[in-house]
Amino acid sequence: MYCRNTRDEQECILAKNEFLDLINEISEIKMKSTVSFDLSHIGMSISEAFATKQLKETAQLAKQHDIQLMISMEESEKTDQILYIYKALSPLYENLGITLQGHLLRSQSDLQDLLNYQEKIRLVKGAYQEKEGTYIPRSVELDNRYLDFATVSVERNHPLSIATHDENLIFALKERGLLSDHFTEIEMLDGVRPDLLKSLRDENLKTQVYVTHGK
């Protein structure tokens, strides 16, 4: 059901309703799970007010069932809008997390701000093509930045999801003792390095499998 930039209100409502159904199904089978989504899929491309209304309904149901929600990050021109909506609802829903893209230059400041909120941060390197001068390309510099962001989060005892398949980066995080922190988990996309994820799980580290949903 992955479809960003939905501009038809009815389609946004249908998408939100499918997330509600998914939350109910997860609750019925008593699975501990996180539901991730793009705000532009449930109405942000129409208006902030509409997306906020849709998100409130979703977050309320998820809260009732003790299910975590994770707002995905999108292209950088949407970052301010995404963070505005997240910050507006974060005080009301402790089950609402946010994604941070390490490669954006602005993320240093955004991280310091987000650490003032209690909800989980999902840390990714970032995959969107951005304008020159707004991001750090894949490099040792970016890896070190990712390590620094993770370190700061763990030192603040902030809930953190390490979302990467980079084996060298994961080993560096483990050497620093960051993966064994009570508030930290490792997340990988289903089918990508399942051997690595299993080995981490066998070490009694907290792991998550990111599974895409829908057509």
Side-chain angles (χ1 to χ4, degrees), residues 5-40:
N5 303 321
T6 307
R7 298 183 181 279
D8 181 273
E9 187 170 310
Q10 190 56 39
E11 287 186 8
C12 292
I13 292 172
L14 289 174
K16 179 260 301 181
N17 288 341
E18 186 161 347
F19 285 123
L20 297 181
D21 290 342
L22 179 61
I23 290 167
N24 283 323
E25 289 173 13
I26 290 171
S27 176
E28 286 175 7
I29 63 176
K30 295 180 169 49
M31 176 188 291
K32 185 170 179 58
S33 183
T34 299
V35 176
S36 300
F37 56 93
D38 290 332
L39 285 178
S40 67

Side-chain angles (χ1 to χ4, degrees), residues 163-202:
T164 181
H165 309 103
D166 187 327
E167 186 170 7
N168 292 331
L169 190 53
I170 288 171
F171 286 158
L173 289 162
K174 188 163 68 167
E175 286 178 0
R176 292 191 182 192
L178 300 177
L179 300 186
S180 56
D181 183 80
H182 173 70
F183 296 102
T184 302
E185 66 187 17
I186 309 105
E187 176 194 300
M188 294 186 192
L189 184 65
D190 186 31
V192 180
R193 294 308 308 272
D195 56 324
L196 177 57
L197 195 63
K198 181 180 183 303
S199 70
L200 296 168
R201 187 170 63 249
D202 289 344

Side-chain angles (χ1 to χ4, degrees), residues 85-204:
I85 294 172
Y86 165 73
K87 291 173 185 178
L89 294 188
S90 176
L92 304 176
Y93 303 102
E94 67 276 6
N95 61 323
L96 187 62
I98 187 70
T99 303
L100 182 71
Q101 299 184 91
H103 74 158
L104 294 181
L105 296 180
R106 62 169 291 165
S107 291
Q108 180 79 53
S109 174
D110 287 336
L111 175 63
Q112 294 303 319
D113 189 18
L114 292 173
L115 287 172
N116 294 316
Y117 296 79
Q118 298 304 309
E119 292 72 33
K120 184 182 295 182
I121 294 173
R122 177 174 176 262
L123 183 59
V124 301
K125 283 188 179 181
Y128 292 102
Q129 281 194 323
E130 301 290 352
K131 294 179 182 178
E132 196 71 30
T134 64
Y135 74 101
I136 299 172
R138 296 298 171 104
S139 60
V140 172
E141 180 186 2
L142 178 56
D143 289 349
N144 289 336
R145 195 171 204 248
Y146 193 103
L147 286 167
D148 290 343
F149 282 10
T151 300
V152 170
S153 300
V154 171
E155 287 177 347
R156 290 278 293 270
N157 293 320
H158 198 286
L160 178 67
S161 181
I162 299 291
T164 181
H165 309 103
D166 187 327
E167 186 170 7
N168 292 331
L169 190 53
I170 288 171
F171 286 158
L173 289 162
K174 188 163 68 167
E175 286 178 0
R176 292 191 182 192
L178 300 177
L179 300 186
S180 56
D181 183 80
H182 173 70
F183 296 102
T184 302
E185 66 187 17
I186 309 105
E187 176 194 300
M188 294 186 192
L189 184 65
D190 186 31
V192 180
R193 294 308 308 272
D195 56 324
L196 177 57
L197 195 63
K198 181 180 183 303
S199 70
L200 296 168
R201 187 170 63 249
D202 289 344
E203 295 179 42
N204 293 318

